[in-house]
Amino acid sequence: FARELKLPAGLNEGWRLALLDKNEDIKRLTDTVGFNYFWSPADRVFLHPAVFIFISPDRRVTRYLYAPVEKKDVELAILEAGKGVSRGSKLKDLEDLFLVACFSYNFTEGRYTLNYPLFIAVGALALGVSSVVASLIFFKPNARRHGHG
């Protein structure tokens, strides 16, 4: 299955496929990650949700994304699951950190959306700092004119 995916060389190492032979192992794995399914005798298939389950390096489930999913959501969920794990390039790590900060998971919509409160806070901080700097620049010449400086 992994060969059929034809993933780029760097991604093959990151994928783990759970192909288990024993029903007990499958049940234990699905119970552990909270994945539910059942056998439909009428249809002769297992019925289950189409879901991506993201697991962190310390083996915690970090996100469930139910189909249909967008590429951006998968990328952000992978970054979120790997928080604190260096992927090599420091520049890439900073870019990943920026992406994770700018987007947050929206439970209502079931996808990642822009982190509006962060942008509002940064804008308010920038406005406050620029106001202080502008007032210092503006009022400093007045103090000299009146003989105080």
Side-chain angles (χ1 to χ4, degrees), residues 7 11 38 40 54 72 87 91 97 120 143:
L7 296 172
L11 291 180
F38 67 93
S40 171
F54 296 87
K72 173 193 71 150
R87 287 165 291 290
L91 184 61
L97 179 64
I120 292 168

Side-chain angles (χ1 to χ4, degrees), residues 1-2 5 15-19:
F1 181 75
L5 286 177
W15 287 89
R16 301 293 182 263
L17 302 172
L19 301 176

Side-chain angles (χ1 to χ4, degrees), residues 32-34 52-56 58-64 81:
T32 300
V33 297
F52 287 89
I53 301 172
F54 296 87
I55 301 172
S56 69
D58 63 350
R59 297 183 176 110
R60 289 182 307 111
V61 173
T62 58
R63 181 72 55 222
Y64 297 91

Side-chain angles (χ1 to χ4, degrees), residues 27-59:
K27 182 73 173 138
R28 194 175 79 234
L29 172 65
T30 56
D31 286 347
T32 300
V33 297
F35 183 79
N36 296 313
Y37 63 93
F38 67 93
W39 175 254
S40 171
D43 299 320
R44 299 188 62 200
V45 297
F46 282 100
L47 298 176
H48 58 82
V51 62
F52 287 89
I53 301 172
F54 296 87
I55 301 172
S56 69
D58 63 350
R59 297 183 176 110

Side-chain angles (χ1 to χ4, degrees), residues 15 52 54 65 69-81 112:
W15 287 89
F52 287 89
F54 296 87
L65 291 180
V69 296
E70 296 178 20
K71 178 183 174 189
K72 173 193 71 150
D73 294 332
V74 172
E75 290 172 354
L76 288 168
I78 290 170
L79 290 175
E80 186 178 47
Y112 286 85

